Amino acid sequence: GDLKATNDVLCEGVGSCSGLAGSIISAGTVSCGGEYACANIKGSISGYYVEATGTDSGRDNTYIVRDKAYFSGSYSAFGSSITAQGNIQADGPYSTGNSILTAGDDIRLFGYGSGYKSSISRTPTIYAHGYYSAAYADIYGTNDKPTTIQFYGHFAGYYANVWCEHG
């Protein structure tokens, strides 16, 4: 079944909340702080603010975030589909790698290899400041407004494909 909370859901131990048969649904924060915490949820992870700070935490999931998603653990949210109304920030090595990313405000790929081989779309601003961030990524601009992309990290955007659709 689902794990539902009117406030926060804290999955802070090693493997906590991983392999859940349903979804994690919170009106507040969902925090996945332990190694492998919140990994391989069969449903989705939904909250106002979602964070995965442990190694391999929150990987292979579907995220529906009403504000900000923050991933600082190594390989956190790797292989996931993440939609945020606010922003997505990936500080951990290879966090959000091989993922599908969409954010209403911006995506911040600051970690080594963050956003590696990911598909990024419908996001007005993308910052790829980490070493190899957004390398081999597919980035699709929005068709209703300009998209700003910054490749500042060493080898950021290496072999990335960028499709501009506006104007």
Side-chain angles (χ1 to χ4, degrees):
D2 293 340
L3 174 58
K4 296 180 182 180
T6 55
N7 281 326
D8 302 333
V9 174
L10 306 176
C11 302
E12 301 298 326
V14 174
S16 60
C17 304
S18 66
L20 187 69
S23 296
I24 297 175
I25 303 165
S26 171
T29 297
V30 177
S31 178
C32 306
E35 186 176 18
Y36 294 104
C38 308
N40 301 306
I41 303 293
K42 303 302 182 259
S44 63
I45 296 176
S46 175
Y48 183 78
Y49 176 83
V50 175
E51 66 179 3
T53 57
T55 299
D56 287 306
S57 61
R59 62 181 296 147
D60 302 313
N61 286 319
T62 298
Y63 291 88
I64 303 162
V65 184
R66 290 187 308 284
D67 187 32
K68 180 176 182 169
Y70 178 66
F71 305 102
S72 62
S74 295
Y75 289 90
S76 57
F78 190 89
S80 294
S81 174
I82 306 162
T83 302
Q85 291 177 14
N87 70 6
I88 298 169
Q89 183 165 334
D91 289 349
Y94 290 101
S95 57
T96 69
N98 203 31
S99 294
I100 299 169
L101 309 173
T102 302
D105 291 335
D106 61 54
I107 293 176
R108 304 168 189 186
L109 303 172
F110 295 159
Y112 174 88
S114 56
Y116 175 82
K117 289 190 175 181
S118 288
S119 175
I120 301 170
S121 63
R122 298 186 312 275
T123 303
T125 306
I126 300 157
Y127 304 101
H129 292 194
Y131 184 76
Y132 271 112
S133 59
Y136 301 98
D138 291 317
I139 300 172
Y140 301 89
T142 60
N143 59 6
D144 59 340
K145 55 188 167 187
T147 300
T148 302
I149 304 169
Q150 295 179 353
F151 294 121
Y152 282 157
H154 189 64
F155 288 119
Y158 184 75
Y159 278 97
N161 296 305
V162 178
W163 287 273
C164 300
E165 297 182 22
H166 180 72

